[in-house]
Amino acid sequence: MQGIGNGKVSIIATSSDGRARAESKITVYSGYVYSTLNLANRVGHLTMDDDTGVLTANLTTALLPMSDPNGITTDPAGKFLYTGDFQSGNISLFSINQSTGELTANGNFPAGINPRNLLVTPDGKYLYLAAEGSQSIRTYSINGDGTLNFLNSFPTTIGHSQIQISRDGNYIFYLSPTLTELVSYRINYIDGGLTLVGTSPSFANDGSGNVSTHPNGNFLYVGSYPSMTILSFDRNTGNMGLVDSVAHSMGINGSAIHPNGLFYYTVNINHESISCYRIDPNTGKISLFQTINGFVGSSLRFLIIDPTGRFAYLADSNGQLKHFSINQMNGELTLIGSVNPGGVQWNLVFL
């Protein structure tokens, strides 16, 4: 049996008489990691060794001069890759060779002023972008060849780089105009439109807004400052409630939750560290169990975890992309290597 593309696949077996039926869900992935190399105006392409987790750098792919790529995402099938290009005000499109992972530049699309992070809905139908300078969320439909059609722009009255989607793909999360609440927008899958449906209780915040979603869909983790905020989430209404506030006192740029839902990792951008927390999946509450220091002179960006949950990868401004193994029993991270993907990294995506 061979997967026809990346993503979650359901395998259903039925007995010949139709009386017995079993279903198993698996995740198909390629083992490719892509990183925006913002100062080099390129995208790095790396290949993961499935046994060791170590990454090997392949050739980088150039963007337009002065593009400054920040955000990066792929479509669910692993055919197309998109970057939000901060300086040029574009979204760049690349086709992905699914046999080799090689990227081919395939056009640019206007994206407002200072586009940052972007994401694609689970069905591959729409792309949403945080346009920081335009103070808006921009919506695009995705054509069969990966090209984009601009649909609408939703004013946010603040310029922010972070945007997140719910696990079921029905909601977009963004900070409120005060920066002290998280708001949820319901996605209309007929036209890609967004409707604001929920506003969280207020929390202290200096403007940080990284959001991670729990695999069970019931909790949201906001990298607010000086304390992290944990919210409950109602998937039917989009409403949010306060679960806990956890003192952290470090600026969080990126975060990731382990696929098993038991571990939460924060990337402390200017404190040169990663904080590791255990999650109670029933209550959503967290407890610190490990802090990794020693990234001297680094401005840490984002962390991604491979779909099997065995390895994690850290984007670092010093040029060396870090590799970690993850202890499956206790969630501890162990540094196992690093590689230069062709320049300093801003963001990462696993395919």
Side-chain angles (χ1 to χ4, degrees), residues 110-132:
I113 303 171
N114 300 144
R116 288 278 199 181
N117 293 306
L118 64 178
L119 52 85
V120 174
T121 53
D123 64 355
K125 190 175 180 179
Y126 299 109
L127 181 147
Y128 293 92
L129 166 79
E132 185 174 311

Side-chain angles (χ1 to χ4, degrees), residues 61-64 79-83 91-96 103-109 143-148:
T61 304
L63 288 85
L64 295 173
K79 296 180 180 180
F80 309 110
L81 181 143
Y82 303 90
T83 61
I91 294 173
S92 292
L93 163 65
F94 301 87
S95 298
I96 303 173
L103 300 179
T104 301
N106 199 22
N108 307 97
F109 304 89
N143 299 315
D145 60 358
T147 56
L148 303 176

Side-chain angles (χ1 to χ4, degrees), residues 4 26 36 45 77 82 85 89-90 122 140 143 187 195 208 213 222 231 234 253 255 281 292 297:
I4 60 173
I26 62 172
T36 45
H45 165 215
Y82 303 90
D85 306 334
N90 290 320
Y140 301 80
N143 299 315
I187 299 173
T195 301
S208 303
T213 59
V222 184
L231 301 169
D234 187 320
N253 188 75
S255 62
I292 301 177

Side-chain angles (χ1 to χ4, degrees), residues 1-22:
M1 180 176 60
Q2 181 178 359
I4 60 173
N6 283 53
K8 294 187 182 296
V9 178
S10 293
I11 301 174
I12 300 174
T14 305
S15 64
S16 58
D17 60 7
R19 295 182 179 179
R21 182 179 183 274

Side-chain angles (χ1 to χ4, degrees), residues 35-38 301 314-316 319-321 341 343-347:
S35 176
T36 45
L37 311 176
N38 62 308
R301 303 295 185 180
L314 174 69
D316 190 344
Q320 294 293 317
L321 194 160
V344 300
Q345 312 100 52
W346 188 277
N347 209 336

